[in-house]
C-alpha cells in the first residue's frame, strides 16, 4: 500500500501465469522517469555504453514522494480465489497490484512445432529445465557411444528482448544488497520513492542484479548443466533488441566465446571487440566469430577476395577462430540448391567450392598464428558498472600504435594484480594503463581495489568518482567513495603519485604515454590495422592493408630483438626481411602491401639472419616472359549442361562475350597456354603474375598442381615446377552463381537449369565481372626464403 493523495482500489488481483516479467497496475514498467522504459530493457538494436546513465534531476514536490517506511505489503490479504480484503486505515491510499506475466516473446527462428515462450533467463532452475527438454532429449535418445561428435552447446547472440523479474528476485535482491526492495517497487511505475536519487539507486541495483543473473544463472547455469554431460558452452557475448546483460561478465561465464561479422556493412564493428576483450581478460585462448555472414548483398554474389578485408580487420582486433556462415546441407543435386538470404554459401553447390580450400587454408593459418601466446594491448578501458551494456567506450581515444581491450569490475576485483608496474591477470595478459570512464559513480569495494593497485604500481587515467551508484549501505558507501578518492586523486592535479603508482587526469593518452616513456607498440599508417601476440621471446604482429590501393610505409615495432620475417598466410611461405633498423628498443621495417594484402611480421631472437645478397624487403622482379599467345579455354559444367571450347587471342571478361552461354556462364573455365624459358635463373624465385581474377583460380605448371591465386597481388611462386624450354600452363578459374541466375531470371521456369529457393536476381541486374584478366607474366625475384614450419 502507498500513502499518497489519489485513491484507486482493485477488488481482484490476477494470478501470475509466467515467471518472466513483473507488471504493476496496467501501465508499462518504467524507471523514475517515464521516458526510460525498464519493461523492454532498451528495445532498440543496441544498448550502447551510455544508455542507462543520466544525471540526478531536481527533487519533486515533497507531497508526491513516497516514504518507503510507510509502504505496506498486502500480499497476505489476497485469498486463494483472488479476492482482496483489507481494513483500510484512515487516510488516502493507492493500492498497487503487481504480478509476473509472460513478455509474449517466443524463441526464434524455429519451426512451428518448436516455437514457444522464451525461457526464464534469470533462473538456473528454469534454464536446467529448458536444457532437459531440448538437449536432454537428444542425450536420452542417442546412445553415449554414438554421440562422440556432440561437444558444444551454442548460445547465439541475444535478440529476444529483456526480462526484469523471476521467482526469487526479491529474495536474491535483499541477499545481494542488504535491503528490502519491495517498498521501492513503485519506482518501476515512475513514482519517486524516498527521493529521486534513492529511486534511481534502487533501479540501478535492479538493473545490475538482472545483468548479474543473466550472466551467472543463464550462461553460468547452462554451463553447469552442460558440464554434467561432458559438454562445453559457446556464446556470442552481446545482444541486440533488448540485451539486458553486461557483455563482459556475460561472456566470461561461458567456456568459449564468439563474435560475429557480416561480409560488409557495420555488423561486427563493436561485436568482435566485445568478444575479443572478453576472451583476453578471462583467459580464453580461442575467440571465435560467426564470419562472413551475407548482407546486404543478394545471395551468391560474394567471393573470398571480397570477404578478406573484413576478416583481416577482425583478426587484427583479436578474432582467431573462424566459423564460416553458413554451410547448408544440400539434400540433392539441384544447384545452387538450398540457401538463405543471410548466408554466404560455403557448401558443395557453390561455384567456387572446389577452390575454397585456398581461402580456408588462409583462414586456418591466420587462426593458428593468432592463437599463439598472449594478446598484447597497452590499454584496458574500464566499461563502468552500469547495466545493461554491450560495448565500452574509448575515451580518451587510444593513440596510434597502442591496442586496447575493454575490462569490467569482476575481473578488476577478482583477478587483477600489479607485476613489474603492469596490470596483470592470472593467465599472463598485461596492460600498461587502466582508463576509467568519465563517470562520477563507482561502488566503494571496486574503488578500494583500484586504490590498492595504484599503491602497488598501477597507472590509472581518469576522473575521481564522487559517490556510489547503488543504494546499498548508504550513506556510508558515498562517504567511503569520497574518502578513497581523496587519497588517490588529491584534487584536480593532472598527475599524482600514490605509492608506486600514478593517477593521471585531464590528459590525453598520448601525453600519458609520453610521461611514462612507453613507446607505441606498432607505428603504422591509419589504413593499416594490426594485432600483436607474444609467445616467450617471439613477437608475432599481424598487419592488414584495409584499402584497395598499393601502399608502402616504414613500420616501427616495439621490439629490439630478432630479425623480422615475412610470413604469408595466403600461401604459407616464409622469407626474411633483410632491410631493417634496430636501436635496442624498436625495429623499423620498410613494408609494401598490395590492395587488401596482409602478412605476419615475426621476430624470433633465436634465429640468426641469413646473410644473402638480397638488400631490399620487396625487390622488383625481372621480367622473363609475358604470355601473348592465344589461350585455349574450356567452359564445362555438368550442372548447366555446357561444354564449349574457345580460342581467345587475348584475355577478357567473359561476362562481356556475345555468346549468352558464356556471358551468363557460372562454373569453371580452364585456361591453357605455354611459355618458354631458355634457362632458369639460379638463386631466385620465379613468380607467375596475373591480372585480377574473378573469383578464384588454381594453377598447374607442366601438369603439376602449384597452388591458387585468389587475392592481390595475384601471383604465385612456380619455381619448383619449371624446366628449361617450353612449360605448359593451365589456370582453372571459377566465378560465382550471380551471372547465371541473372541470365535465367527472364526465362520460363521449365527452361532454367538452376534452382534455389531465394532468388532475388532480375534479368535487368548488371552482370559480375568473370574470369582471368591479363597480362600474365613470369618474373624472377630475389627472396631469402625460409624453410617451412
Amino acid at each position: 500500500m502507498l500513502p499518497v493523495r489519489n485513491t484507486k482500489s482493485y477488488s481482484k488481483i490476477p494470478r501470475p501465469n509466467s515467471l518472466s516479467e513483473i507488471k504493476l497496475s496496467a501501465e508499462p514498467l518504467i524507471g523514475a522517469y517515464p521516458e526510460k522504459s525498464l519493461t523492454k530493457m532498451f528495445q532498440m538494436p543496441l544498448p550502447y555504453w551510455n544508455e542507462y546513465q543520466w544525471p540526478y534531476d531536481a527533487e519533486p514536490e515533497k507531497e508526491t514522494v513516497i516514504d518507503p517506511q510507510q509502504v505496506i505489503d498486502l500480499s497476505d490479504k489476497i485469498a486463494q480465489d483472488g479476492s482482496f480484503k483489507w481494513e483500510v486505515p484512515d487516510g488516502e491510499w493507492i493500492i498497487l497490484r503487481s504480478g509476473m506475466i509472460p513478455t509474449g516473446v517466443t524463441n526464434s527462428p524455429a519451426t512451428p512445432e518448436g516455437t514457444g515462450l522464451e525461457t526464464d533467463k534469470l533462473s538456473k532452475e528454469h534454464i536446467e529445465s529448458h536444457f532437459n527438454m531440448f538437449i536432454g532429449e537428444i542425450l536420452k535418445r542417442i546412445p553415449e557411444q554414438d554421440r562422440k561428435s556432440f561437444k558444444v552447446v551454442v548460445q547465439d547472440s541475444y535478440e529476444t528482448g529483456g526480462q526484469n523479474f523471476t521467482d526469487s528476485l526479491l529474495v536474491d535482491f535483499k541477499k545481494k544488497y542488504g535491503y528490502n526492495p519491495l517498498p521501492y517497487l513503485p519506482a518501476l511505475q515512475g513514482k519517486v520513492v524516498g527521493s529521486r536519487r534513492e529511486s534511481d539507486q534502487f533501479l540501478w541495483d535492479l538493473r545490475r542484479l538482472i545483468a548479474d543473473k543473466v550472466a551467472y544463472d543463464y550462461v553460468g547455469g547452462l554451463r553447469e548443466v552442460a558440464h554434467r554431460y561432458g559438454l562445453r558452452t559457446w556464446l556470442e557475448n552481446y545482444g541486440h533488441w533488448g540485451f539486458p546483460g553486461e557483455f563482459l561478465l556475460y561472456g566470461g561465464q561461458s567456456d568459449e566465446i564468439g563474435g560475429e561479422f557480416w561480409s560488409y556493412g557495420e555488423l561486427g564493428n563493436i561485436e568482435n571487440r566485445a568478444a575479443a576483450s572478453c576472451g583476453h581478460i578471462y583467459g580464453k585462448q580461442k575467440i571465435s566469430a560467426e564470419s562472413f555472414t551475407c548482407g546486404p548483398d543478394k545471395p551468391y554474389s560474394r567471393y573470398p577476395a571480397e570477404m578478406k578485408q573484413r576478416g583481416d580487420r577482425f583478426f587484427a582486433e583479436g578474432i582467431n577462430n573462424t566459423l564460416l556462415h553458413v554451410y547448408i546441407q544440400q539434400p540433392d543435386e539441384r544447384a545452387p540448391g538450398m540457401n538463405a538470404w543471410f548466408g554466404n554459401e560455403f557448401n558443395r553447390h557453390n561455384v567456387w567450392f572446389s577452390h575454397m580450400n585456398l581461402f580456408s587454408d588462409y583462414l586456418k593459418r591466420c587462426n593458428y598464428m593468432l592463437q599463439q601466446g598472449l594478446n598484447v594491448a597497452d590499454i584496458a578501458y574500464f566499461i563502468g558498472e552500469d547495466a545493461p551494456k554491450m560495448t565500452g567506450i574509448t575515451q580518451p581515444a587510444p593513440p596510434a600504435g597502442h591496442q586496447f581491450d575493454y575490462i569490467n569490475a569482476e575481473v578488476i576485483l577478482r583477478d587483477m594484480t600489479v607485476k613489474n608496474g603492469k596490470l596483470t591477470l592470472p593467465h599472463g595478459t598485461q596492460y600498461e594503463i587502466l582508463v576509467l570512464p568519465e563517470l562520477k559513480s563507482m561502488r566503494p569495494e571496486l574503488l578500494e581495489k583500484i586504490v590498492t593497485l595504484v599503491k602497488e604500481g598501477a597507472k590509472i587515467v581518469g576522473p575521481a568518482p564522487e559517490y556510489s551508484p547503488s543504494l546499498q549501505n548508504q550513506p556510508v558507501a558515498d562517504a567511503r567513495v569520497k574518502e578513497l578518492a581523496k587519497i588517490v586523486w588529491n584534487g584536480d592535479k593532472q598527475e599524482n603519485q600514490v605509492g608506486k603508482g600514478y593517477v593521471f587526469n585531464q590528459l590525453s593518452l598520448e601525453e600519458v604515454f609520453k610521461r611514462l616513456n612507453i613507446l607505441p607498440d606498432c607505428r603504422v599508417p591509419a589504413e593499416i590495422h594490426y594485432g600483436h601476440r607474444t609467445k616467450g621471446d617471439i613477437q608475432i604482429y599481424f598487419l592488414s592493408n584495409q584499402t584497395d590501393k598499393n601502399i608502402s610505409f616504414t613500420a616501427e615495432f616495439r621490439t629490439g630483438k630478432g630479425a623480422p620475417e615475412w610470413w604469408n598466410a595466403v600461401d604459407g611461405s616464409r622469407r626474411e626481411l633483410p632491410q631493417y633498423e634496430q636501436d635496442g628498443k624498436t625495429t623499423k621495417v620498410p613494408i609494401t602491401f598490395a590492395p587488401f594484402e596482409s602478412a605476419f611480421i615475426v621476430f624470433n631472437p633465436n634465429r640468426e639472419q641469413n646473410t644473402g645478397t638480397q638488400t631490399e624487403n620487396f625487390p622488383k622482379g625481372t621480367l622473363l616472359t609475358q604470355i601473348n599467345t592465344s589461350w585455349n579455354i574450356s567452359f564445362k559444367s555438368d550442372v548447366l549442361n555446357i561444354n564449349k571450347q574457345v580460342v581467345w587471342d587475348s584475355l577478357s571478361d567473359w561476362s562481356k562475350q556475345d555468346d549468352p552461354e558464356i556471358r551468363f556462364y557460372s562454373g569453371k573455365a580452364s585456361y591453357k597456354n605455354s611459355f618458354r624459358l631458355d634457362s632458369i635463373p639460379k638463386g631466385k624465385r620465379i613468380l607467375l603474375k596475373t591480372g585480377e581474377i574473378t573469383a578464384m583460380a588454381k594453377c598447374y605448371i607442366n601438369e603439376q598442381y602449384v597452388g591458387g591465386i585468389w587475392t592481390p597481388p595475384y601471383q604465385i611462386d612456380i619455381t619448383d615446377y619449371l624446366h628449361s624450354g617450353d612449360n605448359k600452363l593451365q589456370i582453372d578459374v571459377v566465378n560465382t552463381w550471380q551471372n547465371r541466375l541473372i541470365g535465367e531470371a527472364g526465362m520460363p521456369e521449365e527452361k532454367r537449369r538452376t534452382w534455389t529457393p531465394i532468388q532475388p536476381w532480375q534479368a535487368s541486374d548488371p552482370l559480375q565481372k568473370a574470369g582471368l584478366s591479363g597480362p600474365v607474366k613470369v618474373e624472377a625475384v630475389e627472396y631469402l626464403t625460409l624453410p617451412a614450419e
Side-chain angles (χ1 to χ4, degrees):
M1 284 305 299
L2 311 179
V4 292
R5 300 179 67 180
N6 297 322
T7 303
K8 294 183 182 178
S9 62
Y10 304 92
S11 59
K12 285 194 175 183
I13 297 178
R15 291 201 161 278
N17 56 3
S18 178
L19 305 173
S20 57
E21 181 176 33
I22 183 171
K23 288 282 188 182
L24 292 94
S25 188
E27 302 177 33
L29 297 189
I30 52 179
Y33 311 96
E35 69 274 13
K36 296 175 174 110
S37 171
L38 185 67
T39 305
K40 297 306 180 185
M41 299 297 290
F42 199 75
Q43 201 72 352
M44 295 293 286
L46 306 173
Y48 281 109
W49 177 80
N50 61 338
E51 300 299 349
Y52 287 87
Q53 299 165 3
W54 51 82
Y56 293 126
D57 291 346
E59 293 295 330
E61 296 179 4
K62 186 175 182 180
E63 59 267 24
T64 65
V65 176
I66 299 167
D67 183 351
Q69 301 301 319
Q70 297 185 39
V71 175
I72 303 173
D73 184 1
L74 299 177
S75 302
D76 60 354
K77 308 300 181 184
I78 306 172
Q80 188 67 28
D81 64 358
S83 62
F84 172 65
K85 295 181 181 180
W86 178 49
E87 292 293 331
V88 184
D90 292 339
E92 294 184 342
W93 299 83
I94 286 181
I95 301 175
L96 212 80
R97 61 179 182 176
S98 64
M100 291 180 290
I101 65 172
T103 62
V105 176
T106 60
N107 59 313
S108 175
T111 62
E113 299 85 354
T115 301
L117 293 175
E118 267 287 309
T119 187
D120 183 351
K121 292 186 172 66
L122 306 182
S123 165
K124 281 188 177 182
E125 177 186 355
H126 295 307
I127 290 301
E128 182 171 353
S129 174
H130 179 76
F131 178 96
N132 291 334
M133 292 299 292
F134 284 82
I135 298 170
E137 289 299 315
I138 297 174
L139 295 170
K140 287 179 185 177
R141 299 178 192 189
I142 302 177
E144 185 174 358
Q145 66 270 19
D146 294 337
R147 44 181 158 88
K148 295 179 181 178
S149 63
F150 192 17
K151 302 291 186 184
V152 179
V153 179
V154 172
Q155 295 157 283
D156 209 332
S157 56
Y158 195 117
E159 299 180 11
T160 55
Q163 296 173 237
N164 63 16
F165 222 77
T166 189
D167 299 333
S168 62
L169 191 74
L170 296 181
V171 174
D172 295 340
F173 188 106
K174 187 172 183 179
K175 182 178 180 181
K176 180 178 178 67
Y177 296 112
Y179 69 92
N180 184 8
L182 190 142
Y184 292 93
L185 292 182
L188 291 169
Q189 199 182 12
K191 302 184 183 301
V192 176
V193 183
S195 67
R196 278 202 184 271
R197 185 177 178 208
E198 202 170 327
S199 296
D200 277 346
Q201 288 175 318
F202 159 73
L203 293 172
W204 189 97
D205 288 339
L206 179 60
R207 290 191 296 271
R208 184 69 252 179
L209 177 63
I210 291 168
D212 292 348
K213 290 182 73 65
V214 167
Y216 295 128
D217 292 359
Y218 168 41
V219 181
L222 186 62
R223 182 195 65 228
E224 290 175 12
V225 66
H227 283 188
R228 289 185 220 141
Y229 295 93
L231 301 171
R232 292 170 59 80
T233 57
W234 184 95
L235 170 77
E236 292 180 350
N237 68 312
Y238 52 86
H240 313 111
W241 306 108
F243 180 61
E246 179 225 282
F247 70 103
L248 294 176
L249 182 71
Y250 180 68
Q253 314 315 308
S254 177
D255 293 314
E256 300 181 29
I257 196 72
E260 171 185 4
F261 64 93
W262 290 39
S263 293
Y264 68 90
E266 295 188 359
L267 210 158
N269 291 5
I270 64 173
E271 289 81 358
N272 291 302
R273 182 70 70 172
S277 294
C278 181
H280 296 157
I281 66 175
Y282 281 94
K284 302 179 190 300
Q285 194 69 9
K286 285 200 305 183
I287 304 166
S288 304
E290 172 194 316
S291 304
F292 310 110
T293 309
C294 187
D297 306 324
K298 294 178 180 179
Y300 304 115
S301 64
R302 302 287 277 177
Y303 52 94
E306 294 181 318
M307 301 179 197
K308 184 176 181 292
Q309 177 195 24
R310 293 282 284 174
D312 287 349
R313 168 179 172 169
F314 299 119
F315 284 151
E317 288 188 9
I319 297 299
N320 62 16
N321 191 47
T322 305
L323 305 179
L324 297 176
H325 193 277
V326 63
Y327 188 107
I328 297 177
Q329 181 195 9
Q330 301 300 315
D332 54 42
E333 298 310 306
R334 291 178 296 175
M338 295 299 298
N339 70 337
W341 70 266
F342 50 78
N344 276 308
E345 305 299 341
F346 296 98
N347 64 62
R348 65 190 179 94
H349 284 336
N350 202 331
V351 175
W352 42 261
F353 183 78
S354 61
H355 289 43
M356 198 181 79
N357 65 300
L358 304 177
F359 186 44
S360 60
D361 284 350
Y362 170 76
L363 298 176
K364 287 187 283 188
R365 292 184 186 110
C366 289
N367 289 169
Y368 176 81
M369 294 292 287
L370 294 170
Q371 288 177 23
Q372 302 305 304
L374 293 170
N375 183 68
V376 177
D378 292 333
I379 309 166
Y381 283 101
F382 175 46
I383 64 171
E385 300 171 278
D386 309 293
K389 184 179 277 107
M390 70 157 283
T391 186
I393 187 171
T394 54
Q395 192 177 57
H402 297 276
Q403 272 285 13
F404 71 91
D405 284 325
Y406 296 123
I407 198 166
N408 64 347
E410 179 181 63
V411 171
I412 295 173
L413 272 167
R414 186 188 65 191
D415 299 332
M416 187 164 274
T417 59
V418 178
K419 184 177 181 181
N420 298 325
K422 294 186 178 183
L423 295 156
T424 304
L425 298 176
H427 52 277
T429 291
Q430 294 185 313
Y431 302 97
E432 295 284 357
I433 61 173
L434 173 66
V435 179
L436 306 181
E438 295 286 336
L439 290 175
K440 295 182 179 181
S441 64
M442 185 180 293
R443 286 187 282 187
E445 57 267 33
L446 177 61
L447 185 52
E448 286 175 354
K449 177 62 180 286
I450 289 175
V451 170
T452 300
L453 293 171
V454 172
K455 289 180 178 179
E456 293 174 353
K459 290 87 174 176
I460 308 295
V461 178
E466 298 177 9
Y467 51 79
S468 172
S470 170
L471 191 55
Q472 182 181 23
N473 197 28
Q474 290 291 9
V476 175
D478 280 355
R480 182 60 175 156
V481 169
K482 286 182 172 62
E483 177 187 359
L484 292 166
K486 188 175 181 180
I487 294 172
V488 175
W489 273 265
N490 190 24
D492 294 329
K493 294 173 62 177
Q494 287 187 336
E495 179 179 335
N496 189 36
Q497 183 171 4
V498 182
K500 297 179 181 178
Y502 292 87
V503 175
F504 299 93
N505 192 14
Q506 299 177 358
L507 288 175
S508 68
L509 292 187
E510 288 92 341
E511 183 62 27
V512 170
F513 282 119
K514 183 178 180 180
R515 294 192 184 194
L516 294 173
N517 196 28
I518 297 172
L519 299 173
D521 181 31
C522 182
R523 198 191 301 269
V524 291
E527 301 86 352
I528 306 299
H529 289 205
Y530 89 94
H532 180 191
R533 308 284 296 187
T534 181
K535 185 177 182 181
D537 291 335
I538 299 174
Q539 306 303 317
I540 302 169
Y541 289 88
F542 175 76
L543 272 60
S544 164
N545 178 9
Q546 288 286 296
T547 75
D548 61 355
K549 297 177 175 59
N550 293 295
I551 184 170
S552 295
F553 58 96
T554 296
E556 184 173 353
F557 302 95
R558 192 174 61 202
T559 180
K561 299 179 180 179
E565 300 171 354
W566 177 273
W567 291 34
N568 185 355
V570 170
D571 60 10
S573 65
R574 299 162 54 248
R575 62 184 181 84
E576 294 186 8
L577 296 173
Q579 186 183 8
Y580 65 94
E581 297 178 6
Q582 286 182 330
D583 61 9
K585 294 181 179 180
T586 65
T587 304
K588 294 180 180 180
V589 185
I591 290 175
T592 295
F593 272 137
F596 305 124
E597 190 175 10
S598 62
F600 289 90
I601 311 299
V602 179
F603 294 85
N604 185 352
N606 300 317
R607 177 177 289 114
E608 293 184 3
Q609 184 187 5
N610 188 344
T611 55
T613 58
Q614 179 188 350
T615 57
E616 296 181 3
N617 291 339
F618 299 88
K620 292 182 179 180
T622 301
L623 179 66
L624 299 181
T625 185
Q626 179 170 315
I627 301 176
N628 296 316
T629 53
S630 298
W631 290 84
N632 293 290
I633 307 171
S634 170
F635 295 89
K636 187 176 187 304
S637 169
D638 293 337
V639 173
L640 302 179
N641 192 27
I642 292 176
N643 188 356
K644 282 184 172 288
Q645 314 292 324
V646 298
V647 177
W648 289 350
D649 292 336
S650 61
L651 296 170
S652 64
D653 174 4
W654 78 56
S655 73
K656 304 294 185 183
Q657 296 296 308
D658 293 334
D659 185 342
E661 291 209 324
I662 295 179
R663 184 167 69 253
F664 298 123
Y665 182 77
S666 291
K668 182 175 75 172
S670 293
Y671 292 70
K672 293 182 179 180
N673 213 318
S674 64
F675 59 91
R676 182 175 182 81
L677 296 177
D678 294 329
S679 62
I680 309 296
K682 293 183 178 180
K684 294 188 177 183
R685 308 305 298 178
I686 312 302
L687 303 180
L688 179 74
K689 293 189 173 186
T690 72
E692 182 181 356
I693 293 173
T694 308
M696 308 179 79
K698 288 188 173 181
C699 181
Y700 300 81
I701 299 291
N702 297 319
E703 300 181 345
Q704 295 184 73
Y705 176 62
V706 177
I709 308 173
W710 60 274
T711 184
Y714 295 113
Q715 64 185 32
I716 190 169
D717 189 327
I718 59 175
T719 310
D720 299 333
Y721 303 88
L722 297 171
H723 55 243
S724 299
D726 292 330
N727 290 269
K728 295 180 181 179
L729 170 63
Q730 177 176 328
I731 302 175
D732 290 346
V733 180
V734 290
N735 63 334
T736 75
W737 277 113
Q738 176 177 330
N739 291 350
R740 186 66 195 187
L741 293 174
I742 292 171
E744 291 191 357
M747 294 182 183
E749 189 171 341
E750 64 272 11
K751 291 188 176 181
R752 297 176 185 175
R753 301 173 196 173
T754 62
W755 175 89
T756 189
I758 299 174
Q759 206 302 68
W761 295 101
Q762 303 294 321
S764 59
D765 287 335
L767 297 180
Q768 186 180 61
K769 186 176 181 180
L772 173 65
S773 300
V776 176
K777 303 176 182 180
V778 180
E779 293 184 358
V781 66
E782 188 173 16
Y783 285 151
L784 299 175
T785 58
L786 295 166
E789 282 197 357

